[in-house]
Amino acid sequence: MHVIVNGERTEIAATDLNGLLGELDYENTHVVIAVNYHVVPRARWGETELSSGDEIEIVTPRQGG
Amino acid sequence: MRSRSSRRDREAELVAFYGKEFASRLLIGTAGYPSPAIMQDAVRASGAEIVTVSLRRESAGGRMGNAFWSLIWELGVTVLPNTAGCRSVREAVTTAQLARELFDTPWIKLEVIGDEETLQPEVVGLVEAAAILVKDGFEVFAYCTEDLTVALRLRDAGCRVIMPWAAPIGSARGVLNRDALKLLRARMPDATLVVDAGLGAPSHAADALELGYDAVLLNTAIAKASDPVGMARAFRLAVEAGRLAYESGLMGPRDFASPSTPVVGTPFWHAVS
């Protein structure tokens, strides 16, 4: 199915967030995720099923003012 | 007017943000430095105990976030995440919630930007987002304009830290609307007021502290200086000077001269009969 990851349409085989992170080679331990503007706590990544068209934001700390 | 007791008799007053006390009244950003090492040195030289950070998208396989996390961790400072770049209530609220998840803090510097040219806060959305976040348990540092009624609405929404701009972000112009900032201070004696954005020189920071503002927040003026570490120290001294001046009671301006040297006993002086 296709989902939107950080604004880009992405074709994935994974069906949950943990699967998505593995498939897209995310190793970063300091990331947090929102799906369709709802924050998904790390403990629930494995049980969070994805649906076609979901908007997923994967973000990390960065410089800011 | 605050206490007039002599500075020699007491320690400098601490500043409190949502009940947490700090000695430094300078908050600084972490963006735009020539290198990560210079950023760390500048933060240390500034004496700042609170630094601002942002959240940005992490690319697949990327490890930027881990590296930056380590840099901040090494500094041992308190982190104030921002919602910089957010242009809607929904974006700002979700970004704040992501920041809380990532940094494990209820603090958020709330920015909702309404105009690309000026990066002016979108104050209607700001008040709305602030109310949502306060209800959700956040401790909001609201970046706003100098408008009194907006600041009052933010206070009513539960914001105890209000951060009006001095001038547009990155403009280095210093306090543009002195009367409005003085009015905010006078009308909101119990709020923690921070001048955020638009400060270009240490004298601008001293200016804000002399007006009775509790602290200043800046980034570019230090990060983009030829020597950010030197400039960080200059801002530290200016903030201390401005605060000490405020606590010591500044004289008021007057329209005409008033001789500082005593007139009585002036040689060759003759009373007019």
Side-chain angles (χ1 to χ4, degrees):
Chain A
M1 65 180 162
H2 84 269
V3 292
I4 311 294
V5 179
N6 286 346
E8 290 190 12
R9 183 187 161 98
T10 307
E11 205 59 40
I12 58 166
T15 57
D16 63 46
L17 272 182
N18 265 345
L20 173 101
L21 292 171
E23 185 175 337
L24 298 183
D25 196 26
Y26 275 94
E27 297 173 358
N28 199 322
T29 50
H30 295 298
V31 295
V32 284
I33 300 177
V35 177
N36 300 329
Y37 288 90
H38 294 288
V39 177
V40 182
R42 182 175 290 264
R44 297 220 311 266
W45 288 356
E47 64 194 55
T48 300
E49 305 259 318
L50 298 173
S51 302
S52 182
D54 276 348
E55 291 183 43
I56 300 151
E57 294 286 338
I58 303 172
V59 301
T60 192
R62 207 58 62 83
Q63 294 84 349
Chain B
M1 184 58 65
R2 306 276 172 103
S3 166
R4 288 290 191 85
S5 62
S6 170
R7 178 80 168 195
R8 281 172 296 182
D9 297 335
R10 59 187 167 79
E11 293 296 312
E13 287 182 26
L14 299 176
V15 60
F17 299 100
Y18 288 99
K20 290 181 73 175
E21 292 189 321
F22 297 86
S24 173
R25 294 170 180 273
L26 176 58
L27 290 67
I28 72 171
T30 53
Y33 294 83
S35 73
I38 292 174
M39 182 273 284
Q40 286 186 316
D41 288 344
V43 171
R44 292 187 183 108
S46 75
E49 296 163 283
I50 300 169
V51 300
T52 52
V53 299
S54 71
L55 290 182
R56 288 292 177 262
R57 287 169 167 169
E58 180 71 296
S59 57
R63 302 187 66 80
M64 295 283 286
N66 281 5
F68 183 66
W69 180 281
S70 299
L71 286 174
I72 297 301
W73 183 257
E74 286 168 15
L75 287 169
V77 290
T78 298
V79 168
L80 173 60
N82 70 26
T83 65
C86 289
R87 284 165 172 75
S88 70
V89 171
R90 186 164 78 150
E91 286 175 21
V93 168
T94 303
T95 301
Q97 291 165 340
L98 283 165
R100 179 169 62 183
E101 177 77 5
L102 186 56
F103 295 104
D104 193 26
T105 175
W107 283 14
I108 190 72
K109 173 183 165 180
L110 180 62
E111 298 182 36
V112 182
I113 300 300
D115 179 65
E116 293 292 334
E117 289 288 313
T118 60
L119 296 178
Q120 178 163 338
E122 197 279 272
V123 295
V124 178
L126 176 70
V127 173
E128 186 183 339
I132 292 168
L133 290 170
V134 168
K135 284 195 183 104
D136 193 18
F138 281 90
E139 295 175 341
V140 176
F141 294 55
Y143 169 59
C144 56
T145 62
E146 75 277 25
D147 187 286
L148 173 64
T149 56
V150 169
L152 292 173
R153 293 295 84 76
L154 288 166
R155 183 193 64 185
D156 294 346
C159 297
R160 287 160 60 193
V161 181
I162 310 283
M163 306 205 294
W165 65 357
I169 295 171
S171 68
R173 297 181 66 189
V175 173
L176 292 183
N177 193 344
R178 169 176 302 275
D179 289 342
L181 289 186
K182 285 172 73 172
L183 181 64
L184 277 188
R185 181 70 285 177
R187 289 290 303 279
M188 306 181 77
D190 299 324
T192 300
L193 295 181
V194 180
V195 167
D196 178 9
L199 302 178
S203 55
H204 297 161
D207 193 15
L209 272 295
E210 287 169 11
L211 289 175
Y213 275 69
D214 295 287
V216 293
L217 196 167
L218 59 111
N219 189 155
T220 314
I222 290 174
K224 297 302 185 189
S226 301
D227 172 9
V229 179
M231 191 61 75
R233 183 158 179 268
F235 268 97
R236 174 187 195 155
L237 295 170
V239 166
E240 288 178 8
R243 179 64 191 183
L244 181 54
Y246 173 72
E247 290 178 12
S248 302
L250 291 148
M251 67 178 285
R254 54 198 300 161
D255 289 338
F256 300 102
S258 172
S260 49
T261 303
V263 174
V264 175
T266 305
F268 313 115
W269 183 81
H270 301 283
V272 177
S273 57

